[in-house]
Amino acid sequence: MNTVLLLGPPGAGKGTVAEALVEKGYTHVSTGDLLREQIRLETPLGIEIKRLMDNGQFVPDDVVVGMIRGLLEAATDRQKFLFDGFPRTLAQAEKFDELLQSVAGVIEEVILLECPEAVIVERLSGRRTCGKCGTVYHVKYNPSSVTDVCDIEGCKLTQRPDDNAETIKNRIEVYKERTAPLIAFYQAKNLIHSIDATQSIDVVRSAALERLG
Ligand code: AP5
């Protein structure tokens, strides 16, 4: 089982790049999306997850690792996964290594999307999402044909609750403190490939696609 990890700060474009890499036969796994699904289902866990996500805090490692364990154990040997937003802490990364060993999986590559803070804030503030099909737009860089209306579903686009100024600030701080150390962790394993994520969507997607052959 092969896996590719997409690493980078909030709003660097992990989801946007993932959409393109799916063409290469990878199953896209976004822990953010899995957690938002729990919120949508209004499970007791979902209620707690919402409180944390709305504040820009991480969901506990054991909850997220439990989701990934279930997914890997149900997968076939030949399946290829693209993880977007996982692992996000050193504890998750270490646990992920153990899980991969137990299913004879490997990390092919860690794609690091590098993006400065000012760009992140602009991207997250301008992001709009379709609640029906999940398509992600940006008011300036990837606008829908009609302002705030999904091109596919024709419904009104919304802003994610964690894309407000205060929560964006918290998310960036949490990234620096808890996720950025993963860069050195994977550099030591010689797995990191960096892409300048300030380039246009097409350029960043092509760079990632080229990387995966
Ligand atoms: P998650 O949903 O993963 O959010 P995130 O990591 O903060 O990343 P985003 O989805 O906000 O951004 P992205 O990098 O995917 O950017 P996108 O492509 O959308 O996680 C949310 C929360 O869930 C976390 O805060 C945490 O609470 C919890 N969580 C998730 N995983 C967890 C874990 N493993 N452990 C614990 N807690 C976890 O692009 C952003 C915008 O920019 C879009 O509008 C897009 O159109 C635009 N854009 C993208 N690329 C470009 C470009 N190159 N040029 C111009 N515009 C661009």
Side-chain angles (χ1 to χ4, degrees):
M1 180 191 301
N2 277 6
T3 64
V4 169
L5 313 184
L6 282 174
L7 183 62
K14 301 181 294 295
T16 303
V17 166
E19 272 175 30
L21 295 183
V22 164
E23 285 170 20
K24 296 258 178 188
Y26 288 88
T27 304
H28 175 205
V29 179
S30 154
T31 39
D33 287 346
L34 293 177
L35 295 168
R36 277 184 286 278
E37 180 61 10
Q38 290 295 317
I39 295 176
R40 195 186 64 77
L41 295 172
E42 296 182 342
T43 60
L45 179 63
I47 293 165
E48 175 57 11
I49 289 173
K50 180 169 169 43
R51 191 185 61 77
L52 292 166
M53 279 173 76
D54 284 355
N55 284 306
Q57 300 300 317
F58 284 173
V59 171
D61 289 334
D62 56 342
V63 171
V64 181
V65 169
M67 287 175 164
I68 301 299
R69 179 184 293 113
L71 207 131
L72 291 184
E73 286 174 356
T76 62
D77 291 348
R78 297 170 97 186
Q79 211 162 344
K80 302 196 292 181
F81 285 100
L82 176 65
F83 287 101
D84 157 3
F86 177 86
R88 230 179 250 244
T89 63
L90 279 173
Q92 289 180 19
E94 283 161 1
K95 210 69 206 163
F96 185 55
D97 280 350
E98 284 174 33
L99 282 176
L100 278 180
Q101 258 188 2
S102 70
V103 294
V106 290
I107 301 175
E108 262 179 76
E109 176 107 19
V110 179
I111 297 181
L112 172 64
L113 298 179
E114 294 193 283
C115 201
E117 204 163 316
V119 176
I120 293 170
V121 173
E122 194 199 9
R123 286 193 184 167
L124 293 180
S125 316
R127 173 164 57 187
R128 299 290 182 273
T129 310
C130 174
K132 262 195 183 170
C133 67
T135 303
V136 175
Y137 300 87
H138 190 279
V139 290
K140 184 166 162 196
Y141 300 115
N142 185 21
S144 52
S145 309
V146 176
T147 306
D148 278 347
V149 175
C150 178
D151 290 346
I152 299 162
E153 297 289 342
C155 56
K156 196 165 165 38
L157 300 175
T158 54
Q159 256 194 302
R160 261 173 47 177
D162 56 348
D163 279 349
N164 63 75
E166 198 188 327
T167 309
I168 292 172
K169 201 166 147 254
N170 290 345
R171 286 160 68 198
I172 294 171
E173 288 311 311
V174 172
Y175 172 81
K176 284 187 200 158
E177 190 190 319
R178 302 195 60 194
T179 308
L182 292 185
I183 300 171
F185 179 84
Y186 287 119
Q187 255 160 357
K189 295 173 185 279
N190 212 13
L191 285 170
I192 292 264
H193 176 76
S194 300
I195 295 178
D196 172 5
T198 61
Q199 304 171 96
S200 72
I201 292 179
D202 286 348
V203 171
V204 176
R205 279 178 166 169
S206 302
L209 278 167
E210 260 173 42
R211 191 62 207 172
L212 298 188

